[in-house]
Amino acid sequence: MSPAAQAQLLGHVVAAGEDLLVALPLRAGLVGGEGALGVGTVQLWLSRPQLVGGASIAAVPLGEVGAGDVRERRFGGIVLQLVLSGRPVQFATSADRAAAEEFLRVLAQAQRTAS
């Protein structure tokens, strides 16, 4: 994960009064640049670069995050699939399988603690 993506994600999580428990780098999208997915103590956080301006930051309460799964992409790489507010969403990551599985483990633990 680029230092800028991690710093931006961490800044928003801390500003919201949460601790960042784990972060996962996201592959560059159509607009370039890396994003990040992070687990806070209360919310799941997403930082994605935008074409113009700074990154777009979004957060979803951990209670709205459902099952997660790690899959290998057909042409290499890892995809993390999460159910957010009842809908499956996929995130391509530059991390390896072990890091993505650890992310899901920490997410599940945070969900148990938050509920």
Side-chain angles (χ1 to χ4, degrees):
M1 169 176 347
S2 74
Q6 185 168 359
Q8 192 163 46
L9 181 67
L10 180 61
H12 278 83
V13 172
V14 170
E18 292 188 58
D19 291 326
L20 183 62
L21 304 176
V22 67
L24 192 70
L26 299 179
R27 284 187 186 255
L30 296 175
V31 297
E34 281 191 341
L37 194 60
V39 176
T41 50
V42 179
Q43 298 182 93
L44 177 72
W45 293 83
L46 171 65
S47 171
R48 296 293 294 201
Q50 293 186 49
L51 188 56
V52 178
S56 173
I57 305 288
V60 176
L62 292 177
E64 293 183 24
V65 180
D69 188 28
V70 177
R71 299 181 182 170
E72 307 249 347
R73 294 178 72 173
R74 180 180 292 174
F75 300 108
I78 300 293
V79 171
L80 177 71
Q81 181 171 318
L82 294 172
V83 176
L84 302 177
S85 300
R87 296 185 346 215
V89 179
Q90 293 185 350
F91 301 96
T93 179
S94 55
D96 62 16
R97 184 176 195 80
E101 289 173 347
E102 175 66 7
F103 181 89
L104 287 179
R105 188 193 66 74
V106 172
L107 173 60
Q109 182 178 357
Q111 288 173 310
R112 286 189 298 271
T113 304
S115 59

